[in-house]
């Protein structure tokens, strides 16, 4: 199957989410599990599949810099209700997963090797893997594909072709990196608190975000932060891998993304010959800001990939 070049239609919701919500604390039925690595993860089984759903598939969800598996909480039950298992990860050094040895081990390539082992284990168990990477997780996800791991489709969400471009998010990395290196993680948490980074969040969510950051590994954050400011454009390599293995690909982002510009992501989709969608009423994290509209893109697209896969001779 050759991925479509035309953008997916974008559904504009009449009443988009507003104000603080449950976000990372959204209730779901996933169980907390430990994977080899070791990696902390959330796993949810799909509801019983119907007769026309001739697949055993799992969506492996990879979070971004300073994120965690909980960033996908609003997506877990709806994806499972669509007949697709869910496996949301903490990357090494994020929240409940221990770090690897050094800063360089937390660049996309080494992290991609860790996630590739997860993908291979799922494939060995007979599951078709749909891989999604958010932000920095998108750079890791493409490294997974470039490693040859057996995925059926790749979704790149709010990520770009290479390093994070100049803008507020990169400037914050530049400011916080020396603080983290010289004064430690507690100082970074305090600075973000003073800056009001979590002021708009529900109090329980804000408490979780503070705890998550304080629980993360400084080594991992330094390594990922450096990679975000130096990762090369590897789209030509990815194009070759996708074409050679006939992998379905989707690029999706919030319509108001403030990390990689939407135009950059749309151009990346064109280069990848991938489907593209922009989620309304969302910025860099549509999984938290407008999960309903994001699901309106992900679920039909993934089910189409799986259905076409089962129909292939």
């Amino acid at each position: 199957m050759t991925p479509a070049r035309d953008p997916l239609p974008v559904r504009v919701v009449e009443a988009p989410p507003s104000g603080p919500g449950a976000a990372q604390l959204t209730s779901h039925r996933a169980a907390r599990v430990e994977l080899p690595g070791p990696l902390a993860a959330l796993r949810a089984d799909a509801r019983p599949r119907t007769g026309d759903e001739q697949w055993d598939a799992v969506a492996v969800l990879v979070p971004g810099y300073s994120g965690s598996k909980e960033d996908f909480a609003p997506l877990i039950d709806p994806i499972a209700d669509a007949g697709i298992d869910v496996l949301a990860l903490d990357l090494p050094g994020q929240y409940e997963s221990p770090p690897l040895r050094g800063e360089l081990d937390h660049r996309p390539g080494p992290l991609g090797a860790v996630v590739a082992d997860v993908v291979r284990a799922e494939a060995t168990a007979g599951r078709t893997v749909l891989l999604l990477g958010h932000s920095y997780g998108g750079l890791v996800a493409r490294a997974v594909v470039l490693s040859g791991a057996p995925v059926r489709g790749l979704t790149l969400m709010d990520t770009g072709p290479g390093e994070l471009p100049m803008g507020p998010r990169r400037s914050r990395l530049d400011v916080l990196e020396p603080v983290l290196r010289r004064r430690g993680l507690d100082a970074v948490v305090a600075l973000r608190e003073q800056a009001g980074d979590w002021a708009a969040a529900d109090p329980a969510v804000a408490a979780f975000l503070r705890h998550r950051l304080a629980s993360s590994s400084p080594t991992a954050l330094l390594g990922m932060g450096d990679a975000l400011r130096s990762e090369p454009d590897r789209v030509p390599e990815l194009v070759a891998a996708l074409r050679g293995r006939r992998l379905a690909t989707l690029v999706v982002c919030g319509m108001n993304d403030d990390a990689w510009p939407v135009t950059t992501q749309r151009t990346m989709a064109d280069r990848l010959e991938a489907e593209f969608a922009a989620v309304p009423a969302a910025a860099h994290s549509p999984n938290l800001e407008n999960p309903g509209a994001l699901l309106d893109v992900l679920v039909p697209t993934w089910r189409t990939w799986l259905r076409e896969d089962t129909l292939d001779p």
Side-chain angles (χ1 to χ4, degrees), residues 251-300:
V251 175
V252 60
C253 63
M255 196 171 285
N256 302 307
D257 194 350
D258 59 350
W260 285 269
V262 174
T263 53
T264 297
Q265 296 181 65
R266 181 64 178 97
T267 299
M268 180 176 70
D270 286 342
R271 294 171 67 192
L272 295 171
E273 298 180 353
E275 300 173 271
F276 175 80
V279 177
H284 189 57
S285 298
N287 44 310
L288 300 169
E289 298 153 348
N290 196 353
L294 175 62
L295 288 160
D296 284 346
V297 174
L298 295 182
V299 169

Side-chain angles (χ1 to χ4, degrees), residues 28-229:
H28 54 76
R29 60 179 183 269
R32 166 74 160 74
V33 297
E34 294 282 348
L35 303 176
L39 295 179
L42 293 170
R43 185 186 288 277
D45 293 333
R47 52 112 175 108
R49 297 180 177 93
T50 62
D52 65 338
E53 296 170 341
Q54 301 298 315
W55 61 72
D56 184 358
V58 59
V60 176
L61 311 178
V62 184
Y65 171 83
S66 79
S68 70
K69 58 194 177 301
E70 286 77 14
D71 289 342
F72 302 109
L75 309 183
I76 291 174
D77 284 3
I79 292 173
D81 288 340
I84 301 169
D85 294 350
V86 179
L87 188 60
L89 310 177
D90 286 351
L91 286 169
Q94 289 182 332
Y95 191 29
E96 296 180 318
S97 288
L100 302 176
R101 184 179 297 273
E103 292 179 22
L104 293 177
D105 296 316
H106 295 89
R107 299 182 72 87
L111 292 181
V114 174
V115 177
D117 286 342
V118 173
V119 169
R120 292 187 183 98
E122 293 298 309
T124 298
R127 301 182 188 95
T128 299
V129 177
L130 305 172
L131 181 64
L132 179 147
H134 173 232
S135 191
Y136 188 76
L139 303 179
V140 174
R142 76 177 183 187
V144 174
V145 172
L146 291 173
S147 76
V151 305
R152 171 64 185 91
L154 173 66
T155 300
L156 300 173
M157 185 172 77
D158 292 88
T159 190
E163 66 183 67
L164 188 66
M166 296 305 299
R169 289 181 179 269
R170 179 152 178 165
S171 296
R172 184 166 64 179
L173 282 175
D174 291 337
V175 169
L176 292 180
E177 189 271 341
V179 175
L180 177 59
R181 194 173 293 281
R182 297 170 190 168
R183 296 168 52 196
L185 197 50
D186 288 345
V188 171
V189 173
L191 282 176
R192 292 195 60 180
E193 185 77 52
Q194 293 169 13
D197 284 1
W198 305 304
D202 176 274
V205 173
F208 167 77
L209 296 176
R210 285 191 294 270
H211 171 67
R212 178 175 73 179
L213 180 57
S215 301
S216 298
S217 162
T219 298
L221 291 172
L222 288 167
M224 290 188 287
D226 181 65
L228 276 169
R229 293 174 294 172

